[in-house]
Amino acid sequence: MRTIKIRFIKHRKNKYTIQRKGWFRWKDIGYSVDMGYGGFWERYSAETKEELLNEVLEKHYEVDKRFVQVIEHSTIKVY
């Protein structure tokens, strides 16, 4: 069973983003978007924590919640 350490960040407009624990620091979880003429990197975000966690597990880690142990650290609020 895989263990993932995460924390949520709550932004002003009731949006949540997510970070994972790296070796020395917390790293944002996101994805690259290629527009053909240029690209950019976007963080995963959602209205609720559960919705965001399900999206990240499905798209980034490509596993189901049943096969992963998720350790959630305290949420950070950004004003």
Side-chain angles (χ1 to χ4, degrees), residues 3-34:
T3 303
I4 300 171
K5 296 179 182 179
I6 61 165
R7 74 176 177 188
F8 293 99
I9 299 175
K10 184 176 181 181
H11 296 275
R12 288 183 185 173
K13 299 177 182 177
N14 292 331
K15 288 276 188 175
Y16 287 96
T17 58
I18 193 168
Q19 292 182 332
R20 66 178 174 88
K21 180 72 171 163
W23 279 81
F24 299 109
R25 61 186 172 104
W26 290 94
K27 298 179 180 179
D28 291 323
I29 298 176
Y31 56 95
S32 296
V33 178
D34 185 18

Side-chain angles (χ1 to χ4, degrees), residues 15-72:
K15 288 276 188 175
Y16 287 96
T17 58
I18 193 168
Q19 292 182 332
R20 66 178 174 88
K21 180 72 171 163
W23 279 81
F24 299 109
R25 61 186 172 104
W26 290 94
K27 298 179 180 179
D28 291 323
I29 298 176
Y31 56 95
S32 296
V33 178
D34 185 18
M35 305 289 280
Y37 51 85
F40 60 93
W41 189 81
E42 183 70 30
R43 284 179 251 162
Y44 287 104
S45 64
E47 296 283 329
T48 64
K49 290 181 182 180
E50 287 297 320
E51 184 181 323
L52 178 59
L53 181 61
N54 290 335
E55 181 180 2
V56 168
L57 288 177
E58 179 184 332
K59 294 181 181 176
H60 183 75
Y61 289 106
E62 296 177 351
V63 295
D64 191 38
K65 199 172 185 178
R66 297 177 294 170
F67 305 114
V68 173
Q69 179 185 7
V70 178
I71 299 173
E72 181 181 343

